[in-house]
């Protein structure tokens, strides 16, 4: 546990992490045009890594490990955790990031983002140990959504490496009560039958919004209400998304915004990880839609 009385308090560490992420965002964005190509390496999940993934990982790694109160740093692009100094062990946060989520969208010039989870426990840990989570969305506008115990806010980030301007545009983001959109990943023939049946129902009720970057697709759900899923697949029962870097932070944000998230059996935030690169099926959005889905999968 971080002692709020020591070195400025728990909240100041969380704020400093998001200051670091916001400060890095314009620089990452500016660097993308020249980094749409394969880097020639694979990450811990066995996926090929683009030059943009590596660059974002490097900049964010430097900025986040420099924050006072951050004891360790883990990234989708790094096999092992990085010791960040700042109060190692007791009294330090662990920060997990997906430096570029949806980076296959780089080549086609579509939305992508950065996902951040701030855990009050050494990783791997469950999402119940999150004290804050957020994401940067590189869309037509660069925005940052941050959730903590107080709620969910959205900021617009502008500027360059010479200086960053942040404006809070929403202070209490909530999922709309009347959901409008859905987005489901994976190939339809790879979906289990019970998920396909649910999808057929949802197609009658909501509009498809799927862009191939979880952050962009979840931001549609946060804005318009609805459900996002990267489901369990017949040959990949754990789906594709990673618990520590992707599913947990998104589940935390959506829960704080009044929605919920499941792996099909239990709340995402209750899933016990074995390792930091574990994958998990993710179904997230308005409560009514996610509960119906969980019942359909039972
Ligand atoms: P990443 O780029 O960090 O590996 O994440 C990609 C994820 C996620 O953003 C998206 O929901 C999903 O992969 C899309 O997968 P497909 O391209 O297989 O549909
Ligand atoms: Mn991702
Ligand atoms: Mn990624």
């Amino acid at each position: 546990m971080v002692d709020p009385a020591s070195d400025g308090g728990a909240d100041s560490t969380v704020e400093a992490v998001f200051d670091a992420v916001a400060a890095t965002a314009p620089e990452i964005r500016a660097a993308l045009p020249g980094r749409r190509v394969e880097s020639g390496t694979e990450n811990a999940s066995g996926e090929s890594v683009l030059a943009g993934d590596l660059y974002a990982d490097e900049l964010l790694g430097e900025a986040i490990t420099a924050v006072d109160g951050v004891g360790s740093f883990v990234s989708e692009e790094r096999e092992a955790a990085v010791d960040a100094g700042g109060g190692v062990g007791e009294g330090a946060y662990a920060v997990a990031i997906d430096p570029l989520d949806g980076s296959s969208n780089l080549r086609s010039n579509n939305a992508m983002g950065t996902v951040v989870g701030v855990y009050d426990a050494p990783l791997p840990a469950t999402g119940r140990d999150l004290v804050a989570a957020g994401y940067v969305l590189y869309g037509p506008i660069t925005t940052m959504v941050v959730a903590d115990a107080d709620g969910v806010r959205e900021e617009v980030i502008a500027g360059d490496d010479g200086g960053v301007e942040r404006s809070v545009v929403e202070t209490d983001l909530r999922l709309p009560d009347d959901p409008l959109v859905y987005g489901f990943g994976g190939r339809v023939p790879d979906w289990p039958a019970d998920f396909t049946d649910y999808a057929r129902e949802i197609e009658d009720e909501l509009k498809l919004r799927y862009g191939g970057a979880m952050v962009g697709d979840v931001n549609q759900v946060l804005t318009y209400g609805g459900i996002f899923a990267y489901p369990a697949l017949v040959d990949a029962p754990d789906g594709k998304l990673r618990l520590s870097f992707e599913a947990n932070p998104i589940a935390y944000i959506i829960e704080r915004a009044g929605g919920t998230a499941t792996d099909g059996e239990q709340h995402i935030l209750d899933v016990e990880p074995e390792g930091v690169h574990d994958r998990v099926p993710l179904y997230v959005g308005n409560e009514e839609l996610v509960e119906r889905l969980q019942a359909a999968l039972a």
Side-chain angles (χ1 to χ4, degrees):
M1 289 280 290
V2 168
D3 174 4
S6 71
D7 61 50
D11 290 349
S12 69
T13 298
V14 167
E15 281 314 308
V17 168
F18 287 101
D19 287 347
V21 172
T24 313
E27 213 178 326
I28 291 176
R29 181 159 198 139
L32 294 177
R35 291 184 170 77
R36 300 165 78 179
V37 294
E38 303 280 343
S39 67
T41 59
E42 276 190 359
N43 65 18
S45 303
E47 294 167 344
S48 70
V49 174
L50 297 180
D53 291 310
L54 286 186
Y55 188 73
D57 177 64
E58 220 169 276
L59 286 193
L60 286 162
E62 267 171 40
I64 291 169
T65 55
V67 171
D68 241 17
V70 174
S72 83
F73 168 78
V74 294
S75 162
E76 180 185 87
E77 307 303 352
R78 301 185 195 215
E79 192 77 45
V82 177
D83 182 347
V88 189
E90 294 288 303
Y93 289 142
V95 177
I97 67 159
D98 178 353
L100 277 187
D101 172 66
S103 58
S104 69
N105 279 358
L106 246 183
R107 283 176 62 194
S108 59
N109 187 25
N110 284 285
M112 339 163 275
T114 295
V115 191
V116 184
V118 185
Y119 294 81
D120 189 8
L123 296 177
T126 75
R128 296 291 174 203
D129 286 310
L130 282 167
V131 293
Y135 58 78
V136 173
L137 176 57
Y138 297 105
I141 306 162
T142 305
T143 54
M144 183 168 78
V145 167
V146 179
D148 58 20
D150 296 333
V152 188
R153 69 173 189 267
E154 183 185 43
E155 302 181 13
V156 167
I157 297 173
D160 51 37
D161 51 7
V164 173
E165 281 166 44
R166 294 164 64 184
S167 352
V168 176
V169 290
E170 292 282 349
T171 50
D172 188 22
L173 271 174
R174 307 285 298 169
L175 284 178
D177 289 332
D178 292 324
L180 289 181
V181 300
Y182 74 98
F184 298 156
R187 294 170 69 239
V188 177
D190 296 334
W191 290 352
D194 44 9
F195 182 76
T196 307
D197 292 345
Y198 175 83
R200 294 287 96 93
E201 281 178 38
I202 288 299
E203 286 163 4
D204 278 342
E205 299 170 27
L206 305 175
K207 288 195 284 191
L208 172 62
R209 284 288 187 276
Y210 189 74
M214 177 193 67
V215 159
D217 294 325
V218 165
N219 204 60
Q220 295 259 12
V221 168
L222 186 55
T223 308
Y224 299 115
I227 182 165
F228 168 81
Y230 202 105
L233 304 177
V234 172
D235 292 328
D238 293 331
K240 177 177 186 191
L241 300 175
R242 272 111 332 179
L243 179 67
S244 302
F245 315 112
E246 296 173 315
N248 268 338
I250 292 301
Y252 181 92
I253 295 164
I254 294 294
E255 183 176 65
R256 287 292 180 280
T260 192
T262 179
D263 70 350
E265 285 172 8
Q266 58 183 328
H267 200 292
I268 285 287
L269 299 177
D270 290 323
V271 175
E272 289 282 351
E274 281 168 19
V276 90
H277 294 280
D278 280 12
R279 298 179 193 267
V280 73
L282 172 65
Y283 313 92
V284 58
N286 284 67
E287 229 170 57
E288 182 261 322
L289 295 168
V290 175
E291 279 167 9
R292 245 171 75 198
L293 171 59
Q294 190 169 295
L297 297 181

